[in-house]
Amino acid sequence: MTITQLKYVLAVAEYQNFTVASEHCFVTQPTLSMQIQKLEDQLETKIFNRNKKPIQLTEIGEKIVEQAKIIVDESNRINDIVDQQKGFIGGDFKLGIIPTIMPTLLPIFLKSFIKKYPKINLKIEELTTEEIIKKLSDGHIDVAIAATPLENESIKERVLYYEPFVGFIPSEHRLSNIKELDVENLNIDDILLLEDGHCFKENVINLCSTLGSKNQNFQLQSGSFDTLIKLSKEGLGMTLLPYLQTLDLNDNDKKYLKEFKKPAPAREVSLIYHKSHLKIHLIDALKDSIDGLIRGVIAFNNVKIISPLQKKGA
Amino acid sequence: MTITQLKYVLAVAEYQNFTVASEHCFVTQPTLSMQIQKLEDQLETKIFNRNKKPIQLTEIGEKIVEQAKIIVDESNRINDIVDQQKGFIGGDFKLGIIPTIMPTLLPIFLKSFIKKYPKINLKIEELTTEEIIKKLSDGHIDVAIAATPLENESIKERVLYYEPFVGFIPSEHRLSNIKELDVENLNIDDILLLEDGHCFKENVINLCSTLGSKNQNFQLQSGSFDTLIKLSKEGLGMTLLPYLQTLDLNDNDKKYLKEFKKPAPAREVSLIYHKSHLKIHLIDALKDSIDGLIRGVIAFNNVKIISPLQKKGA
DNA sequence: ATAAAGATATTGAAACTATCGATAACAGTT
DNA sequence: AACTGTTATCGATAGTTTCAATATCTTTAT
């Protein structure tokens, strides 16, 4: 039994197709087929049921894949251990970031990070929280930045900062004259929200205690705060922005911003990674980098954390 | 990197000698040398410091060995998983037993066990508790039977039975006329003990609350209860036997036996195995086998457990 | 110093294995 | 029946592992 064979098994289990799996393993399909057959021979059991389309794991196969994941993970970690022991900070490092954090946070730390760690080959992907959780557990990304807490057992979280919500309230809006926003004033029905899939939308919904059923005479599907701001200025309602987003506004738009009364509602933004601690030293480096820079931009104190999780039931 | 290479590394780390390690891996020394060099090349680090005699692990090597153990263990477990899933109970199964349990317990279950599980290739070794702990953690044995609790984090215990102590008191002894033994009556100075290394000796010492300093005018080094019994009958003192041992005595000797007042002091006898749960289904089978038979021989109730651990300090 | 002993490293030939490209076999669809 | 998408099989080849013999190195004794 070799680690290579186990990797092949994992690839087939993942892509449910020998040919596709072989491409991802950078070998030809016969090579992969043969190796899997050899492993099956040696274990004297079938791992895959090739009769079903798409291909399926046998009952024993399920268990073998589970165990193979452990072995492959643990063997990947050997390189990490050597690197860490040598004090070497480098190698491939795949980072996922949710869309509502990506454009504002990335400019703050990216340049400094790649300069400080030139040997890290950083690959950044914009992903939803849901995609992140999946890709973290199958090892397609090493770490991610998302709104927390996620309450997921297999994922570790390390808080980077708390980002307050800021109101964007057009001039004719009923709240435009008050001095400070209060959660009590909010009405979910006149707040413009991002499209489904963004956890920031869930944050806002959780913030508004009234579970009012979004009773608007229009449906909005936008993935960008820019659109929300434009629509808001057209008089279609107020909206809420994450603090970092407000720093990019032009001076005119900034006039419409209204802060919350302390403690301001905020989302928790964290580095999250798989509990197996793969590449933990790179994660440490990333956290240090962001920590050092974010302090100059955002205050940490006197906030009230709003969960990004979808409320169940209701 | 292959699992074979990791096994070679573990062997060299264990035997601190390439030649000896190679024999245990059933390859020649050059083969093993080359594979380890290849691994070192690939990891770009030295695992062993070949300058020192005997050979030593480098700092990074220590970590690599630790991780390699995990990987090799987890990969060994794949076969177990397949076997278990198939319901196959068989394969090599190495069992260690401490000397004071071996001769009395083995005859009770061995015949029935090997008959019930003909495909298990059982290898039994007589070992001290200390040796057992070492061999469990390096995988030289799969399971063992010893007096517990051991309070060792990496070892799991599953109690088989509680074996009461029974006094063997010769006719001229000061206690020969009392009806039931009481711990209070014991005096460590007139109890004949096994030689050092037997945890039964520690059991007895822990039983005698008086920490009197074995103030005898002779030193005894015997590993067998037979010797103790003979010496006892010569008038050199009483002794204590584990219950199962008393069943083998001839009718004449049985007259000298004296039970303890309930709750009788007893030693806890358990199956112990490494927490990694390798071969757990074989361990289950063994436990079932012993459980079923021991109930007919020994009572479980109304005993007071005496620890086999050496008391620290004085 | 030098020899001897005990260890690991190197070498070259032989055995073995993984890989590839080509192609066969098979199942499901049209 | 032909087509498509898939996995299995085959033969050649390149690469790897292994072994036996031997070189080299280190330590210890003389």
Side-chain angles (χ1 to χ4, degrees):
Chain A
M1 189 177 77
T2 68
I3 296 171
T4 311
Q5 287 170 342
L6 296 177
K7 283 181 182 167
Y8 292 168
V9 168
L10 292 185
V12 175
E14 182 175 352
Y15 299 106
Q16 302 197 315
N17 176 309
F18 277 63
T19 313
V20 176
S22 68
E23 284 159 12
H24 283 267
C25 294
F26 307 104
V27 293
T28 56
Q29 170 266 315
T31 300
L32 186 136
S33 275
M34 292 259 297
Q35 287 308 314
I36 286 181
Q37 277 181 50
K38 274 190 57 175
L39 184 62
E40 286 180 331
D41 285 355
Q42 203 199 320
L43 297 179
E44 295 179 319
T45 184
K46 286 284 168 201
I47 299 172
F48 297 103
N49 180 349
R50 295 152 170 84
N51 296 323
K52 298 219 175 162
K53 305 276 159 150
I55 225 158
Q56 291 231 305
L57 284 164
T58 61
E59 202 178 333
I60 297 184
E62 300 263 10
K63 308 265 180 184
I64 291 174
V65 164
E66 215 171 293
Q67 186 65 14
K69 269 186 193 154
I70 295 173
I71 297 169
V72 171
D73 264 14
E74 295 291 346
S75 67
N76 282 337
R77 199 187 276 164
I78 278 210
N79 286 299
D80 278 13
I81 286 169
V82 174
D83 284 354
Q84 184 152 26
Q85 206 65 20
K86 282 190 194 165
F88 172 80
I89 302 286
D92 283 353
F93 191 38
K94 281 166 281 180
L95 166 64
I97 311 186
I98 60 171
T100 54
I101 294 178
M102 180 89 142
T104 50
L105 180 61
L106 209 50
I108 292 173
F109 76 88
L110 184 59
K111 203 169 153 188
S112 143
F113 182 73
I114 57 176
K115 194 175 165 191
K116 187 164 175 194
Y117 303 105
K119 284 176 185 158
I120 294 182
N121 180 19
L122 190 64
K123 286 181 189 165
I124 303 165
E125 249 185 299
E126 186 172 294
L127 299 165
T128 65
T129 304
E130 206 177 340
E131 291 168 329
I132 281 172
I133 290 172
K134 192 169 170 300
K135 292 206 172 197
L136 274 179
S137 60
D138 64 20
H140 284 281
I141 58 175
D142 301 306
V143 66
I145 299 174
T148 48
L150 295 176
E151 293 173 15
N152 183 312
E153 278 222 342
S154 61
I155 285 177
K156 290 243 177 189
E157 305 179 356
R158 286 166 73 184
V159 176
L160 290 169
Y161 56 89
Y162 298 98
E163 184 176 24
F165 299 95
V166 180
F168 184 93
I169 303 188
S171 29
E172 329 80 59
H173 192 274
R174 65 180 167 91
L175 296 175
S176 63
N177 290 319
I178 63 166
K179 193 156 174 269
E180 278 187 321
L181 268 179
D182 189 317
V183 176
E184 303 300 322
N185 306 141
L186 299 180
N187 179 348
I188 190 73
D189 287 336
D190 78 345
I191 299 177
L192 301 172
L193 296 173
L194 292 178
E195 64 194 12
D196 286 352
H198 290 284
C199 66
F200 189 78
K201 177 182 173 181
E202 303 302 331
N203 279 129
V204 174
I205 290 172
N206 290 342
L207 172 59
C208 301
S209 43
T210 49
L211 280 166
S213 58
K214 222 31 190 142
N215 211 356
Q216 280 172 321
N217 58 344
F218 66 97
Q219 292 278 321
L220 175 58
Q221 286 285 314
S222 168
S224 88
F225 289 113
D226 281 347
T227 310
L228 294 188
I229 289 168
K230 282 195 188 105
L231 292 172
S232 178
K233 285 196 289 186
E234 294 291 326
L236 292 170
M238 62 170 290
T239 190
L240 292 176
L241 304 174
Y243 172 74
L244 289 180
Q245 195 77 36
T246 67
L247 301 180
D248 296 337
L249 296 181
N250 61 45
D251 287 350
N252 190 45
D253 285 351
K254 275 188 181 160
K255 285 187 239 154
Y256 301 117
L257 294 177
K258 210 169 284 280
E259 290 189 7
F260 276 88
K261 198 169 80 184
K262 307 285 177 189
R267 63 172 172 177
E268 184 180 77
V269 174
S270 303
L271 271 184
I272 63 178
Y273 50 95
H274 195 258
K275 69 165 188 303
S276 69
H277 284 215
L278 239 49
K279 311 243 182 200
I280 191 69
H281 54 307
L282 298 186
I283 294 169
D284 287 341
L286 181 60
K287 177 159 194 309
D288 288 349
S289 241
I290 299 178
D291 271 355
L293 292 162
I294 201 72
R295 271 174 225 287
V297 184
I298 204 163
F300 268 69
N301 57 340
N302 215 356
V303 295
K304 176 169 173 289
I305 302 157
I306 306 300
S307 163
L309 296 177
Q310 270 188 44
K311 278 187 184 155
K312 284 165 203 164
Chain B
M1 188 177 81
T2 68
I3 296 171
T4 312
Q5 287 170 342
L6 296 178
K7 284 181 181 166
Y8 292 170
V9 168
L10 292 185
V12 175
E14 182 176 352
Y15 300 108
Q16 304 197 314
N17 174 310
F18 277 62
T19 313
V20 176
S22 68
E23 284 158 12
H24 284 266
C25 294
F26 307 105
V27 292
T28 55
Q29 168 266 315
T31 300
L32 186 137
S33 275
M34 290 238 334
Q35 288 307 317
I36 286 182
Q37 277 181 52
K38 274 190 55 176
L39 185 61
E40 287 180 331
D41 284 355
Q42 203 199 320
L43 297 179
E44 295 178 318
T45 184
K46 287 283 166 200
I47 299 171
F48 296 103
N49 181 350
R50 295 151 170 88
N51 295 323
K52 297 217 175 162
K53 303 280 161 152
I55 225 159
Q56 290 232 303
L57 284 164
T58 61
E59 202 179 329
I60 297 184
E62 300 264 9
K63 308 266 179 181
I64 291 174
V65 164
E66 217 171 290
Q67 186 63 15
K69 269 185 193 154
I70 295 173
I71 297 170
V72 171
D73 264 13
E74 294 291 345
S75 67
N76 282 337
R77 199 186 278 165
I78 278 210
N79 285 299
D80 278 12
I81 286 170
V82 174
D83 284 354
Q84 185 151 24
Q85 205 65 19
K86 283 191 195 164
F88 172 81
I89 302 285
D92 283 353
F93 191 39
K94 281 165 281 179
L95 165 65
I97 311 186
I98 60 171
T100 54
I101 294 178
M102 181 89 141
T104 49
L105 180 61
L106 211 48
I108 293 174
F109 75 89
L110 184 59
K111 202 169 154 189
S112 143
F113 182 74
I114 59 175
K115 192 175 168 192
K116 186 164 176 193
Y117 303 104
K119 284 177 185 158
I120 293 181
N121 179 19
L122 190 64
K123 285 179 189 167
I124 302 165
E125 247 184 300
E126 185 171 296
L127 298 166
T128 65
T129 303
E130 207 176 341
E131 290 169 329
I132 282 172
I133 291 171
K134 192 169 170 302
K135 293 207 172 197
L136 275 179
S137 60
D138 64 20
H140 284 282
I141 59 176
D142 301 308
V143 66
I145 299 174
T148 49
L150 295 176
E151 293 175 14
N152 183 313
E153 279 221 341
S154 61
I155 284 177
K156 290 243 179 190
E157 304 178 355
R158 287 167 72 184
V159 175
L160 290 170
Y161 56 90
Y162 298 97
E163 184 175 24
F165 300 95
V166 180
F168 184 94
I169 302 186
S171 30
E172 331 79 58
H173 192 274
R174 65 179 167 91
L175 296 175
S176 61
N177 289 320
I178 64 168
K179 190 151 176 272
E180 279 187 322
L181 269 179
D182 189 317
V183 176
E184 303 299 319
N185 305 141
L186 299 180
N187 179 351
I188 190 71
D189 287 336
D190 78 344
I191 299 178
L192 300 173
L193 297 173
L194 293 179
E195 64 193 11
D196 286 351
H198 290 284
C199 66
F200 190 79
K201 177 180 173 183
E202 302 302 331
N203 280 129
V204 174
I205 291 172
N206 290 343
L207 172 60
C208 302
S209 44
T210 48
L211 282 164
S213 56
K214 216 44 188 134
N215 212 358
Q216 280 173 319
N217 59 344
F218 65 97
Q219 292 278 322
L220 175 56
Q221 287 284 315
S222 167
S224 87
F225 289 112
D226 282 348
T227 311
L228 294 188
I229 290 167
K230 282 196 188 107
L231 291 172
S232 179
K233 286 195 288 186
E234 294 292 324
L236 291 170
M238 63 171 288
T239 190
L240 293 176
L241 304 174
Y243 173 74
L244 289 181
Q245 195 77 36
T246 67
L247 302 180
D248 297 337
L249 295 180
N250 61 45
D251 287 349
N252 190 43
D253 284 350
K254 274 187 182 159
K255 287 187 235 154
Y256 300 117
L257 294 176
K258 209 169 285 279
E259 288 189 11
F260 276 87
K261 197 168 81 184
K262 307 283 177 189
R267 61 172 174 178
E268 183 181 76
V269 173
S270 303
L271 271 185
I272 63 177
Y273 49 96
H274 196 259
K275 69 165 187 304
S276 69
H277 283 213
L278 241 49
K279 310 240 183 200
I280 191 70
H281 54 304
L282 297 186
I283 293 169
D284 287 342
L286 180 60
K287 177 159 193 308
D288 288 349
S289 240
I290 299 178
D291 271 356
L293 292 163
I294 200 72
R295 271 174 226 285
V297 182
I298 202 162
F300 268 68
N301 57 340
N302 214 358
V303 294
K304 177 170 173 288
I305 302 156
I306 305 300
S307 162
L309 297 177
Q310 268 188 44
K311 279 189 183 153
K312 284 165 201 163

